Amino acid sequence: MTDHYDVIVIGSGAGGGTLTHALAPTGKRILLLERGDFLPREPQNWDSKSVWVDLRYRNPGKWTDADTGTEFTPKQHYYVGGNTKFYGAILFRFRERDFGPIQHVDGVSPAWPMEYTDFEPWYTRAEHLYHVHGQRGADPDEPPSAAAYRYPPLSHEPRIAQLEADLAKAGLHPFPLPVGLIYDESAPQFSPCIRCATCDGYPCLVNGKADAHVVCVEPALRYPNVTLRTRTKVVRLDTDGTGRAISRVVAERDGQAEEYSADLVVLSAGAINSAALLLASASERHPDGLGNSSGVVGRHLMMHNNSSLIGFDAPEAENPAELARHAMDFWLTTEDLPLPGNRVTLDRDGRILLRYAQTNAEAHRRLIGKFRSLLSAMQCREDVLPGYSYRGGRLGISAVAHQNGTVRFGTDPATSALDLNCKMHELDNLYVVDSSFFVSSTAVNPTLTIIANALRVADHIAGRLGATGQQQARSAPDAAPVPEPAGATSHA
């Protein structure tokens, strides 16, 4: 027997979790499917050996590098909240020029079919929903905003304050990062966040990180019309006889087959897994994969050029523990380009293959060179202990945290799989709201744009379902709310 819903959402991360939260007040019957379980809250959440060496929470199984045939464990996590359970909560807006064509050494980053102004209101909603702390005007490259950040920037630790001063003295323009934390510096005794030393890459033991589970899924589940099924892996999407609508969502839960149906289906499993599911759902009417007559599904995979670098300001130290205490971590990101040959495919057993060749490497080399030229200004002296004052390098194919671009949106069905509302051109009831829809990767973290777009699409879906404004604005049932900072300021 197939259970029927108004909406089925596949994936509970930044896209699916946010969209579920936005649709929960409509009263429509919503089923949220998550292939993972709730992440356990335990001391190992904050243990570096458990997280980074033992890979205690890394649970995607193995993927394969299609060029070498080598299997690898991707930096992917299947839990309620998705990869946001482990993200660094750095929530940048794309810049205005990111939505237009940009010429790089290796080629052109293509224009989006929408402009920054189309996303701006949703960016503001996303920042407020995810408790983003920041300072308007501090970033000289910041795009215009109609509203202030709701929460002030985090104060610097002493060494970071010194770094800021050193970089400013060197002629640069450092600014506070936009960070999504549930924290009130004026009343820390009331804040879930305690400013621990384990945030980026770690799950938060005290639920102080503004992840999709904490700020979206948990509040959405207070509505009686929202149902979450964990440990439920969707393996196929079947269409009706016309091939124009999803008639059945086929899943496996604890080894048992399950089937569901809905008026609308929203896919948000991550750019790689969403593309893989569409390809796995090939049929007589969709022989190259679901909604893939354009041939773009799975193609144009982008993951950014990312490097993790470490500078040291204690060159006399010889003990590794002492050296680590004086280390500063830096994350460098530059844009990669949407090559059609960089893609997601499946082997004959349905396992994920990735083909990814680096693009736009010259810009990344220049950024690393700029970083190294600033080591002295940052009081990190590389001439005392060669090999220790600078460490790190480019992350490889397993670093998929910024994956995007595999089911791009656009106005032309010949060159895109989704329309501007992120509905598949060829299907009347299937949407995709993770980072698959991206046309370019830009050079900043993708998560805020995923969230903003999910809010945008949720409003479109609510209208399609006939939800009134009053229904959408209805308050949640009585329950313990996600804590709000006591000293929060109202937005403009």
Side-chain angles (χ1 to χ4, degrees):
M1 181 178 180
T2 301
D3 291 336
H4 189 81
Y5 294 83
D6 294 304
V7 182
I8 291 176
V9 182
I10 303 169
S12 64
T18 300
L19 180 134
T20 300
H21 178 270
L23 291 180
T26 64
K28 300 300 180 180
R29 194 164 179 241
I30 301 167
L31 175 64
L32 177 59
L33 300 176
E34 169 55 51
R35 70 185 292 175
D37 209 334
F38 288 95
L39 191 142
R41 297 180 67 187
E42 55 188 6
Q44 291 91 336
N45 289 174
W46 284 348
D47 181 70
S48 57
K49 180 177 182 297
S50 294
V51 173
W52 295 106
V53 179
D54 301 336
L55 302 180
R56 183 178 181 86
Y57 305 107
R58 199 79 62 86
N59 59 359
K62 297 289 186 179
W63 295 352
T64 302
D65 183 333
D67 291 320
T68 66
T70 304
E71 289 190 331
F72 62 93
T73 301
K75 192 173 184 287
Q76 180 89 11
H77 304 90
Y78 302 140
Y79 295 100
V80 177
N83 276 329
T84 66
K85 296 301 294 183
F86 295 83
Y87 77 153
I90 305 303
L91 296 170
F92 276 110
R93 296 182 178 208
F94 286 178
R95 277 42 187 156
E96 288 175 285
R97 63 179 177 274
D98 289 328
F99 292 87
I102 299 177
Q103 181 68 54
H104 293 284
V105 173
D106 287 357
V108 176
S109 174
W112 286 46
M114 299 175 70
E115 298 180 351
Y116 171 79
T117 52
D118 297 317
F119 281 88
E120 198 283 327
W122 314 106
Y123 274 135
T124 297
R125 282 180 54 183
E127 288 167 346
H128 292 175
L129 177 60
Y130 276 74
H131 298 254
V132 180
H133 296 248
Q135 180 181 346
R136 295 279 185 239
D139 174 4
D141 199 36
E142 181 182 53
S145 171
Y149 283 112
R150 181 169 285 174
Y151 307 105
L154 302 181
S155 64
H156 292 318
E157 302 292 344
R159 183 60 184 91
I160 302 303
Q162 181 62 56
L163 175 66
E164 179 183 49
D166 290 339
L167 291 175
K169 186 176 180 181
L172 301 181
H173 302 278
F175 58 89
L177 289 172
V179 184
L181 295 174
I182 306 173
Y183 181 69
D184 180 5
E185 198 155 0
S186 67
Q189 68 272 25
F190 300 118
S191 299
C193 174
I194 62 170
R195 291 193 66 153
C196 70
T198 52
C199 194
D200 189 7
Y202 293 82
C204 182
L205 179 58
V206 295
N207 287 341
K209 188 186 296 188
D211 62 47
H213 162 223
V214 172
V215 302
C216 287
V217 176
E218 184 178 313
L221 291 176
R222 298 175 196 147
Y223 290 86
N225 54 299
V226 178
T227 301
L228 168 66
R229 289 184 73 80
T230 59
R231 307 186 311 280
T232 305
K233 179 184 178 182
V234 176
V235 296
R236 185 175 178 84
L237 302 175
D238 288 337
T239 63
D240 63 11
T242 69
R244 290 289 308 177
I246 302 299
S247 61
R248 185 174 62 168
V249 175
V250 182
E252 296 174 352
R253 188 172 196 260
D254 296 336
Q256 300 296 315
E258 295 188 347
E259 296 180 1
Y260 309 96
S261 67
D263 294 343
L264 300 178
V265 177
V266 181
L267 177 57
S268 188
I272 293 171
N273 277 304
S274 287
L277 179 59
L278 294 172
L279 294 172
S281 300
S283 65
E284 182 178 352
R285 291 190 175 273
H286 298 272
D288 298 320
L290 194 57
N292 192 30
S293 65
S294 64
V296 304
V297 172
R299 293 187 181 273
H300 309 108
L301 172 65
M302 295 168 282
M303 301 194 292
H304 278 153
N305 293 318
N306 291 315
S307 290
S308 176
L309 307 173
I310 304 174
F312 299 94
D313 54 55
E316 303 84 4
E318 296 181 2
N319 183 292
E322 177 67 12
L323 194 63
R325 195 170 69 85
H326 291 276
M328 289 191 295
D329 299 329
F330 296 85
W331 183 270
L332 276 63
T333 295
T334 56
E335 184 169 4
D336 57 346
L337 300 177
L339 299 186
N342 283 348
R343 62 186 301 198
V344 181
T345 57
L346 303 176
D347 68 14
R348 62 183 59 187
D349 296 317
R351 294 176 298 196
I352 290 176
L353 303 174
L354 294 189
R355 175 167 280 110
Y356 183 81
Q358 186 184 21
T359 65
N360 207 27
E362 177 59 28
H364 201 66
R365 284 193 291 267
R366 291 176 184 174
L367 184 59
I368 292 175
K370 180 65 173 180
F371 171 82
R372 298 197 67 168
S373 74
L374 291 165
L375 285 171
S376 179
M378 295 186 297
Q379 303 186 42
C380 295
R381 299 181 59 184
E382 60 181 336
D383 58 337
V384 178
L385 284 180
Y388 278 89
S389 56
Y390 171 80
R391 273 283 187 261
R394 181 179 174 270
L395 279 65
I397 194 171
S398 65
V400 298
H402 291 192
Q403 59 187 270
N404 65 84
T406 58
V407 195
R408 54 168 46 178
F409 80 150
T411 57
D412 184 356
T415 58
S416 60
L418 307 173
D419 68 15
L420 297 190
N421 291 316
C422 290
K423 184 186 74 65
M424 295 207 84
H425 288 299
E426 299 171 42
L427 290 121
D428 297 326
N429 68 339
L430 179 59
Y431 293 79
V432 182
V433 298
D434 52 36
S435 58
S436 300
F437 84 99
F438 284 24
V439 174
S440 66
S441 69
T442 80
V444 297
N445 307 42
T447 308
L448 189 71
T449 300
I450 300 171
I451 296 165
N453 184 65
L455 293 171
R456 181 182 72 89
V457 174
D459 273 17
H460 161 77
I461 289 176
R464 180 172 173 178
L465 292 171
T468 66
Q470 184 177 8
Q471 286 176 311
Q472 294 180 57
R474 189 176 57 190
S475 300
D478 291 337
V482 175
E484 289 281 351
T489 57
S490 62
H491 63 283

